[in-house]
Amino acid sequence: MAVVRKILSLAGDGIGPEVMAATRKVMDWVQSTGHVKFEVTEGLIGGASYDVHKVPLTDATIAQAKTSDAVLLACIGGPQYDTLAYELRPERGLLRLRKEMGLFANLRPAIVMEALATASSLKAELVRNLDIMIVRELIGGVYFGEPRGIEDLPGIGRRGFNTQVYSTPEIIRVARAAFELARKRGKKLCSVDKANVLESSVVWRDEVTKLHKAEYSDIDLSHMYVDNCAMQLVRNPKQFDVIVTDNLFGDILSDLASMMTGSLGMLPSASLGAADANGRQAALYEPVHGSAPDIAGKGIANPLAMITSFNMMLRYSFSMGAEADLIDKAMQNVLSAGVRTADIVEPGQKPVGTLEMADAVVAELKRLAK
Ligand code: IPM
Ligand code: MG
């Protein structure tokens, strides 16, 4: 009997429906192996939800997300929504979903596949075999801190303000997730902050240090200021194993790290909450890239970050590591064979479209599984 896994699929905006459709092909293949049955419900988020419901996320969709085993999300946003009131913008839907699901730990692995070492904007020798994991705090800090707002300053103009804030429990839970990951990997953790300027970072650094001493002294812990980290990531990325950092710094550093892997179209992510009494963990999987309105609808977007996000779902939510390994292998082989979407194409190669890339991965999966 196949186990049933309930997935909420949120394709969102821009290239979202295209990369989601590509990923469904890989999902179908996994299902065809007979061990699992995916019960997929489709929902709306971002501009797609606004167009229908006049809000970027409905309570009903949040409720569905909470009762699913995992949520698979593509991307949100588009220029047609840029002039909407702040609360109605697509980004608000995504941020609310993360918050309501309690997804405090955002895992963003930057892994350079051998075939793509030369596609990176950094020198191949700097990124070859790179495998770093950025753990970004996802539901705190300046993204959510109060007070926030925009107020009129009569006669002067306006004042926009936000609050960067972190408390002990918020720091400890994400640091713990990062230490645990480091323990399963290279046993090295770098905590990134701005403790030379920000009080929130002073507390961050103290709490991470205390937790290290109390429970994780087997891990090699270092601290780095975020400006230095940005520089070090470009100078010598392989010095890092796991990085843990706050919401805003993690947003920025993960886009930076993505270019090492060849393209923003290669970076997946997993966002995880705390485990409940039954060991069930709220989880959402989404690529790091945005909705790429410039290429939306053209069928040329790279679906690999989306497929890899699904792969993380297999690994982290469904304990299907063997299938995930096989999908990773299939993607590597396809890339090595020179099958490339436009963003990672190299001289002499002809780019393939979104669905063709997925078809190539599925064909390779069938070959490998024989
Ligand atoms: C990301 C994105 C989002 C963020 C946006 C779309 C709200 O940039 O997931 O990195 O800032 O978290
Ligand atoms: Mg971002």
Side-chain angles (χ1 to χ4, degrees):
M1 261 287 281
V3 246
V4 175
R5 303 291 193 185
K6 286 203 292 195
I7 297 176
L8 174 63
S9 155
L10 301 171
D13 307 322
I15 59 171
E18 299 161 55
V19 294
M20 186 64 88
T23 304
R24 288 293 284 270
K25 288 177 176 257
V26 177
M27 204 187 273
D28 288 345
W29 178 82
V30 174
Q31 202 163 224
S32 74
T33 62
H35 306 303
V36 64
K37 164 123 187 45
F38 296 121
E39 229 175 71
V40 183
T41 311
E42 288 177 1
L44 299 172
I45 191 167
S49 172
Y50 177 80
D51 289 342
V52 177
H53 302 295
K54 295 287 163 249
V55 284
L57 185 70
T58 62
D59 293 342
T61 305
I62 292 174
Q64 259 175 348
K66 286 183 177 168
T67 54
S68 300
D69 293 318
V71 178
L72 190 62
L73 186 147
C75 42
I76 49 97
Q80 67 273 46
Y81 308 110
D82 283 354
T83 50
L84 286 178
Y86 180 73
E87 280 308 315
L88 300 178
R89 293 185 51 147
E91 291 77 9
R92 297 307 302 165
L94 176 59
L95 295 175
R96 183 167 171 222
L97 185 62
R98 289 171 177 171
K99 187 76 168 179
E100 295 252 3
M101 290 180 72
L103 308 172
F104 60 84
N106 179 217
L107 281 43
R108 299 189 158 187
I111 297 173
V112 174
M113 296 190 185
E114 177 52 34
L116 290 187
T118 49
S120 171
S121 46
L122 294 189
K123 292 195 192 86
E125 67 265 25
L126 280 183
V127 298
R128 181 160 281 128
N129 300 322
L130 181 76
D131 178 353
I132 57 186
M133 175 71 88
I134 298 181
V135 181
R136 167 189 177 192
E137 198 292 323
L138 201 59
I139 52 174
V142 72
Y143 270 59
F144 293 94
E146 297 284 348
R148 65 186 300 158
I150 298 177
E151 61 187 20
D152 285 325
L153 295 181
I156 298 173
R158 296 191 301 165
R159 192 173 82 101
F161 55 99
N162 294 88
T163 304
Q164 165 73 331
V165 53
Y166 273 106
S167 61
T168 302
E170 289 177 290
I171 300 164
I172 287 183
R173 64 185 181 183
V174 71
R176 189 183 293 286
F179 276 122
E180 291 291 334
L181 277 167
R183 204 170 250 171
K184 292 193 198 119
R185 297 170 42 105
K187 293 199 161 39
K188 250 172 76 177
L189 178 66
C190 180
S191 172
V192 173
D193 61 41
K194 189 71 187 171
N196 51 344
V197 177
L198 305 175
E199 283 81 357
S200 56
S201 279
V202 170
V203 176
W204 179 283
R205 190 174 282 221
D206 283 353
E207 296 301 340
V208 172
T209 305
K210 274 193 229 157
L211 182 64
H212 176 240
K213 214 166 163 192
E215 296 178 40
Y216 295 99
S217 52
D218 56 315
I219 307 294
D220 173 5
L221 171 70
S222 60
H223 301 274
M224 202 179 269
Y225 297 139
V226 63
D227 48 351
N228 183 27
C229 181
M231 188 272 278
Q232 295 295 341
L233 273 169
V234 180
R235 192 185 73 87
N236 174 21
K238 284 188 221 165
Q239 70 186 286
F240 297 104
D241 176 20
V242 181
I243 290 175
V244 64
T245 190
D246 82 7
N247 205 344
L248 182 62
F249 301 155
D251 178 45
I252 299 166
L253 294 177
S254 59
D255 264 33
L256 191 158
S258 75
M259 271 320 286
M260 294 167 186
T261 67
S263 160
L264 193 51
M266 294 299 299
L267 218 66
S269 86
S271 304
L272 307 172
D276 67 13
N278 307 317
R280 198 174 154 277
Q281 205 172 12
L284 177 147
Y285 299 85
E286 58 171 319
V288 171
H289 64 69
S291 57
D294 52 325
I295 58 165
K298 295 188 179 161
I300 60 170
N302 184 349
L304 293 180
M306 183 81 242
I307 293 174
T308 317
S309 300
F310 168 66
N311 224 14
M312 290 187 88
M313 175 185 284
L314 294 180
R315 259 184 231 289
Y316 289 89
S317 285
F318 303 153
S319 304
M320 295 179 76
E323 287 82 352
D325 285 345
L326 205 67
I327 296 171
D328 273 338
K329 181 100 188 87
M331 287 190 288
Q332 270 163 31
N333 290 355
V334 160
L335 290 170
S336 299
V339 181
R340 305 289 174 89
T341 42
D343 57 319
I344 46 174
V345 80
E346 290 185 86
Q349 294 169 337
K350 188 174 162 292
V352 302
T354 310
L355 293 178
E356 282 169 277
M357 177 57 98
D359 287 338
V361 171
V362 171
E364 181 60 14
L365 277 168
K366 287 182 179 155
R367 198 186 67 81
L368 287 172
K370 262 196 204 130

